[in-house]
Structures are given as structure tokens and as C-alpha cells.
Amino acid sequence: MDDDNDTGEPALEVTDGWDAGDLGCGELVIVLRARLAALEPGQVFELRATDPGVRHDLPAWAGLTGHRLAVAEPPRYLIIRREES
């Protein structure tokens, strides 16, 4: 992954990823939920998605589920798996 970002912080290490292509948000979040469940808390997942609705729906979904959307630069999104509650 990238060495550093613009803030000088170390880049996030991606654990897993998925290219969802133009899959719509309804189906996308179902698959994404299962993929994130397979990760350990704090691990980073890279999603690539080109559906125009993702840029609006993914931040809302992350907020509702407790996952952290660390990067949202369509079509690339980095999601940090939530801590267990």
C-alpha cells in the first residue's frame, strides 16, 4: 500500500479487499458485512466500487454499523473493522 498520506501519518495496512465493480448498494453491503466479519477488529479492508450511490450510502452504512471509513476516494474506500462491543 502507499507509504504515507498527506498528513504524514503512516499508511494503513490493508488486510483484505474486494472489487465490487458496479454492484448496487443493497447487494454490496450484504457481501461487505460478511467480508468484514471475517476480519479481526481494527483490520483494514479495501473496497473498490463504481456504483454512484456508494459514495453516499457507504458512509451512512459505516456509521450505522460502527465500522470506520478511513478513506473515501471513489472508487476506492478503506474501511477499518469495528471493535467488538
Side-chain angles (χ1 to χ4, degrees):
M1 180 131 179
D2 304 329
D3 292 332
D4 288 317
N5 58 30
D6 292 339
T7 65
E9 296 176 25
L12 297 170
E13 183 179 333
V14 174
T15 302
D16 194 9
W18 173 46
D19 186 344
D22 64 353
L23 192 64
C25 286
E27 292 175 78
L28 184 144
V29 297
I30 291 169
V31 175
L32 185 57
R33 179 177 182 242
R35 288 177 174 259
L36 286 171
L39 299 180
E40 296 294 322
Q43 289 186 318
V44 179
F45 187 87
E46 180 176 8
L47 172 68
R48 292 198 174 265
T50 58
D51 181 84
V54 172
R55 84 170 18 146
H56 302 292
D57 293 343
L58 191 61
W61 178 83
L64 289 171
T65 60
H67 299 296
R68 189 170 74 113
L69 187 57
V71 172
E73 298 170 350
R76 181 175 179 252
Y77 305 87
L78 295 182
I79 304 162
I80 300 175
R81 165 84 157 74
R82 72 173 177 229
E83 297 296 324
E84 295 298 324
S85 46

